[in-house]
Amino acid sequence: PQVPIRAAACAALGCALGGSGGIQPPLQLDIMKTIKLTLGERSSTAELRGSLLAVCPRLAAHAEGLWAGELFDSLTALLTKHLDDPSPAARAAAASALGETLVAALGHPYKRSAKGSKSKKIFDSKKEKEPASAMEAVLATLAAPAAAGRSGGVSRELRLSLSHATVAMLRGMRRPELERHSLAVVAHLLALLSGGAEAATRERRSSSAADAEKKEREHDMMCHSIAHALRAGLGELLSEHSQAAMAASLALAATGRAASETVIVVCLREISMLLISVRERGGSARDSLLQGERPLLSLIEHPSRPVRLAACLCLWSVSLAFPAQLSGLLNTTINRVRSRSRPA
C-alpha cells in the first residue's frame, strides 16, 4: 500500500472526527484498534506512524466520556510508547500529539468511572491517591515515564520528547487556565528534577568510571529538559504577576536547606531570567534569595562550581532588577573578595 495515500486517509479521518459532533464509546474502541494494528505493522514508515498519531488529539477532543472509560489511558499509553521511537520524525509527532491530547483532555469534565479506568486500578494497587482533577491526572501522565525509568534509566530521546510534549501542552492551554495552574506545574517539574537528581546520585555511586560519565550526561540532559519546560512552557507565556509568583516559588526551592545542587542550579538560572522581566514585581523572590535559609551570599561560596556560577548570575540579576540593592550587595561582595585575597 502506498504510504502517501494512507497518510492522507489518516488526515481525512482526523477531519471527520472533528466534524462528528461526538464519538460514541463503541466507535472509540474501533478507531483505537485500527490505529494500534496499523502502528504494529512491520512495514509502517515514520510518515505513516506520525499521521496515525496525529489522529489521537482529534479523537480525545471529540470523544464522549473521555475520562469515564479507558480511552484517556489508552491514548496516552500509546503516545508515550512512541516518544522513544527510533525515528526522530515519529518521536516529534508523538510528542506534539501527546501535548495536544492532554490539552484536549483538560477540556472535558473530569469524572472517573468507579469501575473502569486502568489508572484507577494502578493507583489503588500502589495505595496512592488518585488524581482529584484533570490537571493532576495530566501531570501524573507526564511524570509516569520518568518515574518508571528511574531504576533502569531514561533515554535521552525519551527525556527530550517528554520535554517537547510538556511545552506543547502548556503552549496549547488557554491563558487563564495556564495562569491558574502555573504554580502546580512548577511544583511538578521541581519534583521530577529532585527525584531524578536523587536517582542519578545513587546510580553514580554504584557505577564504574565509564558508567558514571554516561550517567552524568543523562543527568545534564534531564536538567536541560526541565529547564526548557520551565522557560518555554511557562516563563515566556505568563503575565508579569504570574512570572513574579513563579520566581518566588523557585526562590523558595533554591534557598531551602534541603535543596540539592541540581535544583539550586536550575532554579537560580530560571530566576535570573524572570527577575530581568518582572523587575520590581519580584520583591518576594528577592527577599527569599537574600534572606532565605541559604541566601545567595552563602551560595556563592558553595563547594560546587555550577552552584557558585548560578548564584553569581542570580546576584547580578537582583542588582539589575533592584538598583536600590546594588550598593549594599557591592560593598558585601567587595569585602568578601578582599578578605579572600589577603595572604594567610
Side-chain angles (χ1 to χ4, degrees):
Q2 295 184 5
V3 172
I5 295 177
R6 300 180 77 185
C10 292
L13 174 60
C15 293
L17 294 178
S20 64
I23 307 168
Q24 298 293 329
L27 182 56
Q28 298 170 17
L29 295 177
D30 290 342
I31 295 172
M32 282 299 301
K33 183 178 179 181
T34 302
I35 291 174
K36 289 180 179 179
L37 285 174
T38 309
L39 287 171
E41 293 178 0
R42 290 185 178 182
S43 59
S44 66
T45 63
E47 180 186 358
L48 179 59
R49 293 197 297 275
S51 300
L52 285 164
L53 295 173
V55 175
C56 294
R58 292 290 186 95
L59 178 57
H62 300 282
E64 294 188 1
L66 175 68
W67 293 106
E70 297 184 0
L71 180 61
F72 175 78
D73 301 308
S74 299
L75 284 171
T76 54
L78 179 68
L79 294 169
T80 301
K81 176 183 176 182
H82 284 84
L83 293 179
D84 215 1
D85 192 280
S87 167
R91 290 198 300 271
S96 297
L98 179 58
E100 293 171 12
T101 298
L102 296 178
V103 172
L106 290 173
H108 287 262
Y110 183 73
K111 185 179 180 181
R112 281 298 202 185
S113 170
K115 346 174 161 170
S117 74
K118 292 179 181 177
S119 66
K120 179 169 177 56
K121 296 175 184 176
I122 292 171
F123 278 101
D124 288 344
S125 65
K126 292 183 178 180
K127 296 183 179 180
E128 294 179 6
K129 185 180 178 182
E130 185 187 3
S133 65
M135 193 65 197
E136 287 185 15
V138 162
L139 294 178
T141 299
L142 290 171
R150 277 176 191 168
S151 57
V154 179
S155 69
R156 175 180 182 274
E157 290 75 15
L158 181 55
R159 288 207 184 277
L160 287 174
S161 298
L162 281 171
S163 176
H164 181 177
T166 303
V167 173
M169 181 196 77
L170 295 173
R171 286 185 171 271
M173 291 172 63
R174 292 176 300 171
R175 181 71 172 272
E177 194 172 30
L178 181 63
E179 299 270 346
R180 186 168 67 253
H181 295 296
S182 59
L183 293 183
V185 176
V186 170
H188 159 77
L189 293 173
L190 291 182
L192 287 181
L193 183 63
S194 180
E198 291 174 3
T201 301
R202 290 194 300 271
E203 291 171 359
R204 284 198 295 267
R205 288 173 181 170
S206 59
S207 302
S208 62
D211 288 340
E213 185 177 350
K214 179 183 177 182
K215 297 297 182 185
E216 187 66 31
R217 290 197 299 270
E218 292 176 356
H219 176 258
D220 292 342
M221 179 54 62
M222 176 195 68
C223 296
H224 170 76
S225 299
I226 292 180
H228 173 66
L230 282 170
R231 185 171 303 172
L234 286 174
E236 295 179 357
L237 305 177
L238 297 174
S239 64
E240 284 191 359
H241 176 76
S242 294
Q243 284 180 334
M246 177 180 172
S249 178
L250 293 175
L252 284 174
T255 57
R257 196 164 296 279
S260 64
E261 293 180 12
T262 302
V263 171
I264 293 172
V265 171
V266 171
C267 288
L268 290 183
R269 286 175 178 171
E270 297 310 308
I271 293 168
S272 65
M273 302 292 292
L274 290 170
L275 286 180
I276 298 299
S277 176
V278 301
R279 302 246 172 200
E280 67 277 357
R281 285 179 174 267
S284 297
R286 174 202 60 196
D287 295 341
S288 296
L289 290 171
L290 298 181
Q291 303 167 16
E293 294 180 352
R294 287 197 296 179
L296 282 179
L297 293 176
S298 67
L299 290 176
I300 59 176
E301 297 180 352
H302 196 278
S304 169
R305 186 170 183 271
V307 172
R308 294 197 301 271
L309 290 174
C312 290
L313 175 64
C314 202
L315 198 61
W316 171 78
S317 296
V318 170
S319 301
L320 284 182
F322 302 95
Q325 302 286 330
L326 180 58
S327 59
L329 293 174
L330 191 59
N331 288 335
T332 302
T333 51
I334 288 175
N335 289 335
R336 291 200 179 192
V337 170
R338 286 175 177 172
S339 64
R340 293 284 180 175
S341 62
R342 288 174 186 167

